[in-house]
Amino acid sequence: MKKLMLALGFGALLIITSCKTTKDASANLSIDYLTATAWELTEINGKAVSTADFGNGAPTATFTAEHKINGKGGCNGYGGAWNLNDEGGMNISEVMSTKMWCENAKGENDYFKALAEVTTAKVEKDKLTLMKGVNAVLVFKPAAAK
């Protein structure tokens, strides 16, 4: 009986350990994909992006392994910092942008405001969703190579 209990305990420990390893590996793959991909905005606050609202095309975002974010807001270039935890929580901070004037760039302010509201991220194949709580505020697709 003692050997059976010991075997069951070891088996449970092995299962718990293997589940943790799988979760950690999955999180690392998500971060690797996040940082290896340039992203282009497709949706903001539940609405499809109209490039006419951003001056010079849809906003973009690139996340680096050094926890920096940069891209264009449609008119102006920007940069900042990002953090992602194991539970999918994310924050984007210290965002600064150039201040060029562009005709028809009214969506750019909405984009920068939405970046500041991000609390959660979901990285999937061919899709990045940045959320405020459970609500998607920014949805990206991989940017076309130039």
Side-chain angles (χ1 to χ4, degrees):
M1 182 71 167
K2 190 174 185 180
K3 286 182 182 180
L4 178 62
M5 294 297 282
L6 185 60
L8 288 174
F10 180 72
L13 180 62
L14 185 61
I15 290 170
I16 291 169
T17 304
S18 66
C19 288
K20 181 170 180 9
T21 303
T22 302
K23 181 181 177 195
D24 291 346
S26 171
N28 287 339
L29 286 174
S30 294
I31 290 173
D32 289 345
Y33 188 58
L34 173 70
T35 59
T37 305
W39 300 96
E40 182 177 312
L41 189 68
T42 59
E43 221 177 275
I44 183 167
N45 296 316
K47 297 178 187 165
V49 166
S50 169
T51 56
D53 291 338
F54 291 95
N56 292 325
T60 62
T62 301
F63 297 83
T64 71
E66 294 78 28
H67 295 272
K68 301 291 182 196
I69 180 176
N70 60 66
K72 66 174 185 160
C75 176
N76 289 285
Y78 71 93
W82 68 274
N83 282 310
L84 182 67
N85 66 33
D86 289 341
E87 289 78 38
M90 176 183 249
N91 72 336
I92 297 172
S93 60
E94 304 170 20
V95 174
M96 294 189 294
S97 71
T98 59
K99 300 293 182 192
M100 297 185 322
W101 179 85
C102 291
E103 191 171 345
N104 300 324
K106 60 186 174 190
E108 188 173 66
N109 287 335
D110 294 336
Y111 175 69
F112 290 139
K113 181 180 175 194
L115 279 177
E117 294 176 342
V118 170
T119 60
T120 310
K122 185 175 181 184
V123 182
E124 303 171 276
K125 184 174 176 9
D126 299 330
K127 185 176 181 181
L128 168 64
T129 306
L130 301 181
M131 299 172 281
K132 179 180 180 184
V134 296
N135 298 317
V137 291
L138 300 168
V139 179
F140 296 84
K141 68 176 182 180
K146 292 186 178 185

